[in-house]
Amino acid sequence: MSLPRGLGMTAVITVRDGQLPVGADETVAEAGGLALLAGTGTREAAGTLRAARRVWLVESASVAPGRLAAALAPELADVDGVLLPASPDGRDLAPRLAVELGRPLLAGAVRCVPGEAELSRLDGRLSVRVALGGPAVLTLLPGVRGAPEPQGPPEITELPLNTPDIRRDAETLEVLRPEPGTMDLAEAPRILGGGAGLVPAGADGLSTMRLLADVAAALGASAGATRVATDAGWTGHDRQIGTTGVSVDPDLYIAFGISGASQHIGGLGQPRHVVSVNTDPSCPMTDMADLGIVADAPAVLGELARRLGVDRAAEAGAAAKGENHG
């Protein structure tokens, strides 16, 4: 049994112990719902894909990229386009697959359509459109496509794997968990978000957002922000959540002083739990929250910092006296 001939764009996802990498669902959605999962625990991982219509499973005890590329290349020889998430494993596997298939590699794509790919360059400051004159291997940046619409249970087929003997290959010595404060927001399982209502008029926005990041770190979470906060220079644009920023899908999202503009909510995905801290009980963010705390956001953040023993709690004193503008 093998992949059907004449498939269009197909996503190739490396799976470790049943866990999908960051950007997996976005990549599958960009590939039209077609996915090949390779690695360990592929059936378990397939059950967590929301965007898949049809999935092929290749169970392999090893995810060494050279060996995996050599094993998958015969299956992918007739696939028009191979799309991988730009996760660590995806970036390792993609160039090796390109060599095995004899195809060009287009890394850092933000959009893939028949005959054309759009690539991000210069840290997102430049967009380059590239015509696809034939089959290619591409990597898709996570957090750029947005959360896909659920497709229901996919059709699943298991494929046998013939692993060739490769003398030299990359070897994984250890997998380190990323630091919550510096990890990509698209990967973060817990996020504390700050909006305009967290920084009252006249308050120090930079100090307040640093406090938010410190409190987030104390809770093992990452710090994000709305476009208003990043445009004001209170935090970097890599922390911006929304349709023009990073698309996230955390287990927990705590929104401090965020009213819930459509641009922001459009990048939230489907958080499993949402907590809103805002003085407006009727704002969209509080309306969608599992728990709505109707209170002054900077005051709540300052009190939380104090209880957690965060060093910058004193710096929040001035900000905590202001009013939440939502």
Side-chain angles (χ1 to χ4, degrees):
M1 188 177 295
S2 60
L3 289 178
R5 292 182 176 274
L7 286 180
M9 187 72 71
T10 302
V12 174
I13 312 293
T14 301
V15 178
R16 290 180 181 266
D17 300 326
Q19 297 296 313
L20 293 169
V22 60
D25 250 318
E26 290 180 88
T27 306
V28 174
E30 193 73 1
L34 303 180
L36 187 154
L37 305 187
T40 56
T42 54
R43 181 166 287 276
E44 178 185 352
T48 64
L49 275 174
R50 293 199 298 264
R53 295 187 294 106
R54 193 170 183 185
V55 178
W56 292 270
L57 307 181
V58 176
E59 190 70 18
S60 171
S62 170
V63 293
R67 190 173 293 108
L68 202 57
L72 295 179
E75 293 289 344
L76 299 168
D78 294 321
V79 173
D80 287 345
V82 177
L83 185 62
L84 300 93
S87 61
D89 281 326
R91 294 195 301 270
D92 278 345
L93 182 58
R96 292 169 171 85
L97 266 181
V99 170
E100 292 286 344
L101 293 169
R103 299 180 181 183
L105 170 65
L106 301 176
V110 296
R111 184 177 62 90
C112 304
V113 296
E116 184 182 86
E118 184 178 347
L119 311 180
S120 176
R121 295 292 182 262
L122 300 178
D123 294 327
R125 297 191 299 273
L126 177 65
S127 178
V128 179
R129 291 186 177 182
V130 178
L132 301 178
V137 176
L138 308 95
T139 59
L140 184 74
L141 294 177
V144 297
R145 191 187 190 281
E149 291 293 328
Q151 296 294 319
E155 177 186 345
I156 296 178
T157 305
E158 294 187 8
L159 298 179
L161 179 70
N162 296 318
T163 305
D165 184 24
I166 296 179
R167 293 186 178 181
R168 293 185 178 181
D169 201 349
E171 181 181 353
T172 301
L173 299 180
E174 186 178 3
V175 178
L176 302 176
R177 295 183 63 84
E179 290 291 332
T182 57
M183 71 187 302
D184 192 316
L185 277 178
E187 302 180 54
R190 294 179 294 276
I191 299 175
L192 271 61
L198 186 57
V199 183
D204 185 350
L206 285 171
S207 177
T208 302
M209 293 307 292
R210 284 197 298 267
L211 177 63
L212 179 72
D214 289 345
V215 170
L219 295 173
S222 302
T226 63
R227 181 171 181 172
V228 171
T230 58
D231 284 350
W234 300 334
T235 189
H237 283 279
D238 62 323
R239 299 285 103 184
Q240 179 183 324
I241 298 170
T243 54
T244 58
V246 179
S247 295
V248 300
D249 192 20
D251 293 325
L252 172 65
Y253 185 64
I254 305 178
F256 288 90
I258 297 176
S259 61
S262 58
Q263 187 275 340
H264 183 75
I265 291 178
L268 271 185
Q270 297 177 328
R272 287 148 190 82
H273 302 287
V274 176
V275 177
S276 173
V277 183
N278 204 295
T279 54
D280 183 2
S282 302
C283 70
M285 184 59 70
T286 300
D287 185 58
M288 70 177 289
D290 300 290
L291 173 63
I293 300 175
V294 182
D296 184 55
V300 172
L301 179 65
E303 177 63 17
L304 185 58
R306 186 188 67 80
R307 295 194 177 205
L308 291 171
V310 174
D311 291 339
R312 287 199 179 95
E315 297 180 17
K321 295 177 182 178
E323 294 183 356
N324 186 351
H325 298 288

